[in-house]
Amino acid sequence: MSAPLSTLLWCRGGSEFSRAAADHVAALLERNPEAVIALPTGQTPLGLYAELVARAAAKQLSAAQARFFNLDDYLGLSVDHPLSYARFLREHFLMPAGVPKEHIRLLRGDAVGIEAECSDYEAAIAAAGGLDLVILGLGTNGHIGFNEPGSDWSAQTHVVSLSPETRAAHVAQTQGEFAIPEYGVTVGISTIVAAREILLLVAGGAKARALAALRRGIPDPKWPVTALLTHRNLTVLAEAELQSAATEGVIAPR
Ligand code: GLP
């Protein structure tokens, strides 16, 4: 089965990319101030978060009525650990944007009884009325959230074993200061594709192969991002620098 991408927007990197992503989120908040949104971690969305925070400070938008979840975290880390994705999101977006605590539910990677945490998390998403928007980054191996190549596309929130490629990328990002956990916990692909809208952010040259896999238009479990091809409201925002590499069609999957 193959399907065309819903919308693919090319953007110059830096502030143009961040503004385009923020415009997308702002438009949703305008239509639905109480939107339920799942957020990614990583270098890619940092500009988006800075832009949203600046717009909130300038009273051009408000995220205070929206409800927020995150996509993933490392297993075993407290939400205050420097590597924790929960901490990252609180620091870079949720607190400076003025989102009240009661509108935030983040995965607890160190929960005692992680299976119960996973099902509680799914229940919280369902109780919020389901996700209006999932914002995604992209792993160099095509992962979304922490859904690694070969993931079960029917899975909901679950524990995952992180691939060597993913762990190596994260070691580089932390300058080796912390040991990268072997496991993560992630919203599953079925939870992601159940969202009413998806915004995929693709930036950085290392993403060319994964983006090319998506652009081939063929769902392939080796490239988890291709699970999004079946979604009816997918927007891909990609850095223009990736355009030639991702369109040549010569980038073969591993
Ligand atoms: C991690 C996260 C993903 C994120 C990816 C890309 O693996 N689990 O959710 O999308 O990194 O990160 P970056 O934006 O830093 O390239």
Side-chain angles (χ1 to χ4, degrees):
M1 180 177 52
S2 77
L5 288 177
S6 305
T7 308
L8 172 57
L9 303 171
W10 298 104
C11 246
R12 275 203 300 274
S15 57
E16 190 181 313
F17 186 89
S18 306
R19 281 201 302 271
D23 287 349
H24 197 94
V25 177
L28 171 63
L29 292 173
E30 184 80 31
R31 289 196 305 277
N32 178 7
E34 297 179 4
V36 181
I37 301 175
L39 299 170
T41 300
Q43 298 303 300
T44 307
L46 276 174
L48 161 66
Y49 294 146
E51 181 70 22
L52 290 174
V53 167
R55 291 186 193 188
K59 306 246 180 290
Q60 292 163 358
L61 68 77
S62 171
Q65 293 177 67
R67 283 158 298 165
F68 292 94
F69 292 83
N70 63 348
L71 286 167
D72 51 9
D73 212 326
Y74 291 113
L75 189 71
L77 299 190
S78 80
V79 294
D80 294 319
H81 189 283
L83 283 187
S84 148
Y85 288 4
R87 177 169 170 167
F88 175 101
L89 286 170
R90 284 203 319 273
E91 289 184 357
H92 289 285
F93 174 62
L94 296 165
M95 286 161 63
V99 179
K101 278 187 183 151
E102 57 274 21
H103 288 189
I104 302 169
R105 169 67 162 102
L106 304 176
L107 276 163
R108 291 184 277 258
D110 65 342
V112 178
I114 193 69
E115 300 302 332
E117 167 66 0
C118 291
S119 38
D120 282 359
Y121 200 68
E122 287 289 337
I125 291 172
L131 296 168
D132 291 302
L133 172 67
V134 172
I135 306 172
L136 295 169
L138 180 61
T140 54
N141 61 1
H143 74 227
I144 48 176
F146 266 144
N147 294 283
E148 296 277 33
S151 295
D152 174 0
W153 288 7
S154 67
Q156 295 191 314
T157 301
H158 64 296
V159 171
V160 290
S161 171
L162 301 178
S163 71
E165 183 171 349
T166 296
R167 293 182 71 221
H170 293 209
V171 168
Q173 282 171 12
T174 59
Q175 283 92 39
E177 199 183 337
F178 299 100
I180 301 297
E182 287 178 37
Y183 295 90
V185 57
T186 187
V187 161
I189 287 179
S190 85
T191 316
I192 292 171
V193 298
R196 288 178 270 281
E197 186 179 351
I198 297 174
L199 174 64
L200 173 68
L201 304 177
V202 187
K207 311 293 172 68
R209 295 175 65 253
L211 182 59
L214 182 68
R215 297 204 69 207
R216 277 193 291 277
I218 303 166
D220 176 353
K222 289 200 292 296
W223 295 96
V225 67
T226 62
L228 306 182
L229 288 164
T230 56
H231 199 275
R232 289 195 292 179
N233 192 354
L234 166 67
T235 300
V236 182
L237 187 60
E239 261 184 356
E241 288 78 354
L242 286 164
Q243 195 161 7
S244 57
T247 52
E248 280 167 5
V250 295
I251 303 163
R254 282 187 175 182

